[in-house]
Amino acid sequence: METIKAKLDETPFQTAGPFLHIGCMPNAIKINKIYQNDLGEIPFKDKQENELITIEGSVFDGNGVALDDVMIETWQCDEKGQFNEDSGFARLIPNNITKKFTLKTIKPGSYKGFDRKTYSPHVSLSISARGLNMTLNTRVYFEDDELKNDPLLSIISLDNVNSLIAKKIKKNSYLFDIFLQGDKETIFLDI
Amino acid sequence: MNAKSLIKRNYEKHPEIDFPDYKSSIFRAPKNRKISFPSSNTETIGPIFNKNIIGKLDNDLTLNFSKNKISPLGHKIIVYGTVSDQFTNPIKGALIEIWQANAAGKYLHDNDENPAPIDPNFAGCGRCLTSSSGYYEFLTIQPGPYPYPNRGIEWRPMHIHFSIFGKSFGQRLITQMYFEGDPLIKLCPMVNSIRNEKAKNSLIGVLDTSKSNTKNLLAYKFDIVLRGIKQTYFENRKEGL
Ligand SMILES: [Fe+3]
């Protein structure tokens, strides 16, 4: 029931521009003396290496060039499907040689949503860069999970749904490339 | 239990994604329509950041990188305001991270090709968490405008970049604050990617001279509004009942 009306407009977005590292990940660009650590270096503390999965990939522009000035933020629940307000967040930038980002995290569990539907395991992404007037949102699902009843995936046509599903490349390791434009353009969400 | 949901975004009050006047968007902005989907737990619960990450000088850009307490060049300003949601509720504990150029319009960043000097006492980054009334404040210096390649060389108006986390991933906002009276604002394609005049104007920090006498500072007020979250209480019931 939408009975409450919003009184104010949301503040509009503006691009994060090419220098977002200064504000969001200063240690990554060798501004070391201000913050002890960059935010989101480790999504879950107290986890052992053997409990972690890796999701890696690149963000490609319309020319097929992998970006190195993009920031990807990730947010997810724990292995039991529980959201803990203070863990599960990570910030990533691509390696400036390989142009790949690497998320080391735990595999999220499935959860029953407020709508009582069951969501397949997924990680939410927010993507910011020069050239993007608004941050983009998408999700990563995993190809070795049961996906057919997921409330989001089931409304997306079969040709497109693959852009949201990470491929398993070896044990505990997944590939998830993001395409900003072109034939393989990733599905972005208004969520 | 409380079911939470975010109210839908009004894209008419936001910039256009595919906006060729801003050249970098041409090969980066997605061309397809976004898939609209109701927010679920992922978008409505966290992350929330703890105050133990915040250092004492994190919101004082005039001191957090200075050597021997030497002030950075430029005039000092206070940038302050409140963070609230669309229902006017103040948001406590919102994380605000800012970054900006120095007084000469130069960023402390290897990719900045503007031939202006860096300032050894200024990094241009700061952060803070809002108080229980949603209040935030930064002490910094007035950033300079700067040239950048777009349709030929163009000039960015003076601005400070803002990144904000409220209570949930779906409230995440990245934006820029401009300065009242800057003649470059109306020429800027990034500003003009927002078609709605009122929305555009909401990004302009308003000059406040009340601190000029006592603290020798100009202040700019910039209030931030994040998406509203509706909460509805429901009893836990068994499925199908
Ligand atoms: Fe800038």
Side-chain angles (χ1 to χ4, degrees), chain A residues 7 10-12 14-15 21 62 73 75 85 91 111-112 122 124 130-131 133 181 185 188 190-191, chain B residues 9 11 14 16 22 24 26-29 32 35 40 42 48 86 97 172 175-176 178 225 227:
Chain A
K7 293 195 178 74
E10 185 188 14
T11 298
Q14 289 280 269
T15 182
H21 316 91
E73 293 173 323
W75 173 241
E85 291 178 330
R91 263 181 177 163
Y111 66 83
K112 189 161 274 191
H122 63 268
S124 285
R130 168 175 68 86
N133 277 328
Q181 292 181 359
E185 185 175 309
F188 296 104
D190 165 28
I191 212 159
Chain B
R9 217 158 230 157
Y11 286 91
H14 281 290
E16 284 173 27
Y22 174 27
S24 295
I26 295 173
F27 290 104
R28 292 186 170 200
N32 296 334
I35 302 269
S40 70
T42 313
I48 289 174
Q86 289 179 273
E97 297 163 292
R172 179 97 186 84
T175 190
Q176 300 180 31
Y178 301 96
V225 181
R227 284 171 83 184

Side-chain angles (χ1 to χ4, degrees), chain A residues 4-73:
Chain A
I4 337 165
K5 272 255 184 315
K7 293 195 178 74
L8 302 171
D9 288 331
E10 185 188 14
T11 298
F13 275 79
Q14 289 280 269
T15 182
F19 310 122
L20 77 178
H21 316 91
I22 299 173
C24 298
M25 307 180 76
N27 289 287
I29 55 161
K30 300 190 187 75
I31 300 176
N32 298 116
K33 65 175 257 197
I34 303 182
Y35 310 150
Q36 206 160 50
N37 299 101
D38 283 340
L39 210 64
E41 279 183 344
I42 304 166
F44 294 91
K45 291 183 197 95
D46 313 319
K47 295 286 176 190
Q48 306 298 317
E49 187 75 21
N50 62 9
E51 298 173 83
L52 301 179
I53 60 162
T54 299
I55 304 171
E56 62 166 33
S58 294
V59 181
F60 294 97
D61 72 8
N63 291 323
V65 176
L67 308 189
D68 56 14
D69 60 357
V70 61
M71 175 174 74
I72 300 134
E73 293 173 323

